Amino acid sequence: MRVLIVGSGGREHALAWKCASSARVSEVLVAPGNAGTAREPKVRNVEVAAEDISGLIALARAERVDLTIVGPEAPLVAGIVDEFAAHGLACFGPSRAAARLEGSKAFAKEFLRRHGIPTASYATFTRESFDAAYVRRQRTPIVVKASGLAAGKGVVIAMSADEAIATAQSMFAGSFGAAGREVVIEEFLAGEEASFIVMADGAHVLPLATSQDHKRRDDGDRGPNTGGMGAYSPAPVVTPALHARIMREVIEPTVQGLATDGMPYTGFLYAGIMVAPDGTPNVLEFNCRFGDPETQPIMARLTSDLTELCEAALAGRLDRVQATWDPRAALGVVLASGGYPDSARKGDAIEGLDRAARLPGKVFHAGTRLSGGEVVTNGGRVLCAVGLGDTVREAQAQAYTLVDTIHFRDARFRRDIGHRAIERERA
Ligand code: AMP
């Protein structure tokens, strides 16, 4: 079979690498891909942008693609799955209606409230309906969120009502473009964060291996928020008891609620959870796709055939398949370019990739491209080096051996990915 992966990041490199490892797959196309997918056996990049839905449909038809897997949220929120379906093309991901779980925080919050799924209390405003007096009545800190897609940057934790009001007003004024036309004002929740990723087929759910990412740029989980500086799987924070609670109180009612509301959810579903001190799994956000960089360590552990799981989901029989996992831990460290997350140097040569390829583990590419046969940097998050080991500590050691083999100008990475899991292992 022939598979098309839509996107160009580390997530898409990991998905393409995993699909290409299947004996039933003859070729994987990646649109548009990066230098890592360009060099992967059985994988070919095609110059079609991830948001160019009609171009992707033409590509899938011309290349007789049997299965398309969509990496990023923008084409999903724009309705790529509906348009592929209208052309009789199998595309794994949620419909435009279901993808609003990520595309509109106002929609997601209203959905959660209506279905009694635990989440922070909130109110949604437009510029016209904005009520500064409501904001002043809230306890600080106050969380202010642009409702639409804002590339992971649309959340501000305001320490005072004045700051929250100013933030909301700047969102209404366009600081996040159309994403800030509606603003969600939300109660601040304390606790420990966990991410939970499943596959869904409209009715059934297949939970994937647990994982945890590190969002802050600097060691010790300090510094600005980023798209993610590293991740590992499994995540000991998700104990079997918490896993069961998240399934029962969040995932199952979400998938059932969407089906009841007439927009059954098929695809990867990512719930960002804040575990309250009493154990309540509050939903912070939904993503309508796989996480990046969580995909990289999770795919490194998946021993089932991903294409079979996606096809089972598209056929509505996820209840009849199982995912099997390498029992070892996997840990990925992101190498970012200088200036990330505010800006990104581009075009610097990357050295050591061939040496790293001969070492255990796997280096997934994100912001890279080929320039005259040489791999150069091409974005904020450049690479994700994934190690495996019997413990998170051993996986971490293998990942950092890869990291220390690779060099590019102003490379920036954390030295402590997995520290919480390693502390738990010690205990
Ligand atoms: P979101 O994109 O909604 O997940 O928000 C990004 C990050 O902001 C989350 O990963 C949390 O660290 C933080 N955050 C979001 N909502 C809240 C909240 N209600 N209380 C505390 N922290 C939050």
Side-chain angles (χ1 to χ4, degrees), residues 46 64 85 181 287 293 305 309 324 329 352 373:
V46 187
R64 302 187 181 283
R181 250 182 241 147
N287 293 328
D305 187 322
L309 298 181
T324 53

Side-chain angles (χ1 to χ4, degrees), residues 196-200 205-208 247 251 255 265 267-271:
F196 201 88
I197 308 174
V198 304
M199 293 174 78
V205 173
L206 180 70
L208 298 178
M247 283 295 285
I251 302 295
V255 170
Y265 192 101
F268 296 113
L269 175 63
Y270 175 127

Side-chain angles (χ1 to χ4, degrees), residues 105 109 120-121 143 145 152-157 186-190 193 215-216 225 272 274 283-287:
K105 288 183 192 287
K109 293 295 288 188
S121 66
V143 184
K145 300 184 173 181
K153 297 196 172 114
V155 176
V156 174
I157 296 175
E186 192 173 281
E187 166 197 12
F188 177 83
L189 298 173
E193 280 192 70
K215 283 246 180 289
R216 302 294 202 95
N225 254 316
M274 184 71 86
V283 176
L284 287 180
E285 62 161 344
F286 285 117
N287 293 328

Side-chain angles (χ1 to χ4, degrees), residues 241-294:
L242 180 60
H243 192 283
R245 257 192 102 164
I246 294 174
M247 283 295 285
R248 195 174 60 239
E249 296 179 33
V250 174
I251 302 295
E252 282 161 9
T254 297
V255 170
Q256 275 162 23
L258 286 165
T260 324
D261 292 351
M263 47 190 132
Y265 192 101
T266 299
F268 296 113
L269 175 63
Y270 175 127
I273 305 280
M274 184 71 86
V275 186
D278 72 352
T280 304
N282 287 297
V283 176
L284 287 180
E285 62 161 344
F286 285 117
N287 293 328
C288 65
R289 32 84 192 173
F290 220 134
D292 189 337
E294 293 94 330

Side-chain angles (χ1 to χ4, degrees), residues 150-169:
K153 297 196 172 114
V155 176
V156 174
I157 296 175
M159 300 318 285
S160 68
D162 284 340
E163 185 190 348
I165 292 164
T167 302
Q169 274 159 350

